[in-house]
Amino acid sequence: MCQIIYRSLGFNENQPPQTMAHVHPPLPYAYDALEPYIDTQTMQLHHIKHHGAAVDNLNKAVAGTDAEHKTLESILASASAYPAAVRNSAGSHYNHSAFWQALGPAGTQPTGALLAAIIATFGTQDALKEQMNARAISHFGSGWVWLVMKDGKLEITSTVNQDNPLMDTAEVQGIPILGIDVWEHAYYIRYNNHRAAYLTNIWHVINWEEVARRYDAAL
Ligand code: MN3
């Protein structure tokens, strides 16, 4: 299943070892595509500077170590075995790559098996949003809130810093279906300290087609 996730994010595990350097993928839409919910300046800084630095730091942190030729998924699955610089930058690279793809211009809605699972688990789509937002608002400091598949069921969890549910260190391990960045850099320019307002608005720009695709792949 991890292979599917890995490929689905555009990484190619078949690259020969000498070209295994981790690559910063381009944003799959324009920097202003999420306006007015996520502003252009935030998207530029977040994608180019924050995510770009994570990829650079990851390549530096693994250089000359036994992690140098490991896939990103392999590093995450053994996160406890690596120093903080590797764990943080690998997590950041995975989390942000998945985040960009799970966002997109407003207008999509959950459908099919994903919608059925949301109704079965949370009652309504709004209840899912409310529960994820409550988890994100109560999350202290920087981190991510997640919708994961665990033992065949949807579950909400959160992780600190750049950790994620694929890491062997995660309190709740599962397949990430949707991750929302709750670091201040994700919202501070437009929303200042109003994390709740950011969380209310981000649901307008969730790419439900991508989220449903991940759910189907995880089944
Ligand atoms: Mn971020």
Side-chain angles (χ1 to χ4, degrees), residues 46 96 144 162 181 185:
H46 200 174
H96 286 103
W144 293 74
Q162 295 294 356
D181 192 337
H185 66 232

Side-chain angles (χ1 to χ4, degrees), residues 28-47:
Y29 37 78
Y31 285 102
D32 63 359
L34 308 183
E35 290 274 7
Y37 307 110
I38 310 287
D39 62 281
T40 306
Q41 190 185 2
T42 293
M43 289 302 293
Q44 289 171 331
L45 286 169
H46 200 174
H47 177 263

Side-chain angles (χ1 to χ4, degrees), residues 95-96 99 143-146 157-159 161-162 179-183:
N95 296 349
H96 286 103
F99 187 51
W144 293 74
V145 59
W146 303 93
T157 186
S158 60
T159 54
N161 302 325
Q162 295 294 356
I180 295 178
D181 192 337
V182 291
W183 283 62

